[in-house]
Amino acid sequence: IAAGIVCARYGLLPGQQAVRAPVATVEGRVYRISQFGSSLVEAGAFLKNADELRTAKGSRAILRLAGGRQVEIGERSDISLARSWRGTTFDLKQGRLIAEASDPGQRAFYVTSGDLSVPVRAALLSLDSGAKGSRVAIARGSARIAQGQNVFDLAAGQQSQERRRAELL
C-alpha cells in the first residue's frame, strides 16, 4: 500500500507519466517549491508531475507544452502541475494565469482553481484566483466550465466569477 501511495504521489502509475513542461521564458524570480525547500527556476528548466511554482512580485514565466500550447503565469502566482488519467492540469492556488491552445484536434489540458475546472482546447483564456474567489475570462474560442456541480459554456468575450464563502473560525 505504501509503495502505491508513493507511486501515485510522484506520478509513477500508468496514466500518470511524468509531465515535462519546459519553462520557455522567465522574467524576474520564479521558484520551484518542494517538501525540501525552494529553488530558483531558469528558462530551459523542465517541470515534472507534482511540481509547484511561485512567482515573485513583478515576475512572470511562460511554460510550453506540446503542440504550441502554453501557459503564462503572472506575478505573485502559485500553481502546481499534475498529470492524471484525464490529462495535464495546472492548479492555480492564487494569482493569474493565461492559457492558450490553438489546435482543436489535440487533447485538452486543464486549468483549475478551487472547484472551478476549465479544459483548454482551441481557446485563449485568463484565470484569476484570489481571496474572494476565481474568475475565468475567454478571449478567443470557447470553453466548457465546470464549477462544482454546474457546467456551462463560455464564448469569446464572456467571463464567469466564482465567489468563495467566508469561513468563520
Side-chain angles (χ1 to χ4, degrees), residues 35-98:
Q35 59 191 1
F36 304 112
S38 63
S39 61
L40 280 173
V41 174
E42 296 181 4
F46 284 90
L47 302 178
K48 300 177 294 197
N49 202 17
D51 277 350
E52 183 177 346
L53 286 183
R54 287 190 189 151
T55 55
K57 180 179 179 181
S59 302
R60 69 184 194 105
I62 297 177
L63 310 175
R64 294 201 196 277
L65 297 170
R69 302 175 300 169
Q70 68 181 25
V71 174
E72 180 180 338
I73 306 162
E75 71 174 335
R76 294 185 175 175
S77 296
D78 184 359
I79 70 158
S80 63
L81 180 64
R83 169 91 180 169
S84 65
W85 294 101
R86 74 179 187 168
T88 303
T89 301
F90 293 88
D91 184 27
L92 181 66
K93 294 171 181 48
Q94 69 178 15
R96 170 180 295 156
L97 67 77
I98 298 171

Side-chain angles (χ1 to χ4, degrees), residues 89-160:
T89 301
F90 293 88
D91 184 27
L92 181 66
K93 294 171 181 48
Q94 69 178 15
R96 170 180 295 156
L97 67 77
I98 298 171
E100 179 180 20
S102 56
D103 186 359
Q106 284 187 332
R107 185 173 183 185
F109 69 95
Y110 294 80
V111 292
T112 63
S113 180
D115 68 344
L116 191 70
S117 178
V118 184
V120 181
R121 178 186 324 211
L124 174 63
L125 61 91
S126 171
L127 178 61
D128 298 307
S129 180
K132 293 185 178 182
S134 300
R135 179 176 56 102
V136 61
I138 309 294
R140 184 182 71 229
S142 63
R144 181 169 293 256
I145 313 297
Q147 187 174 4
Q149 300 296 326
N150 301 326
V151 177
F152 53 93
D153 293 321
L154 287 180
Q158 295 180 320
Q159 65 181 355
S160 173

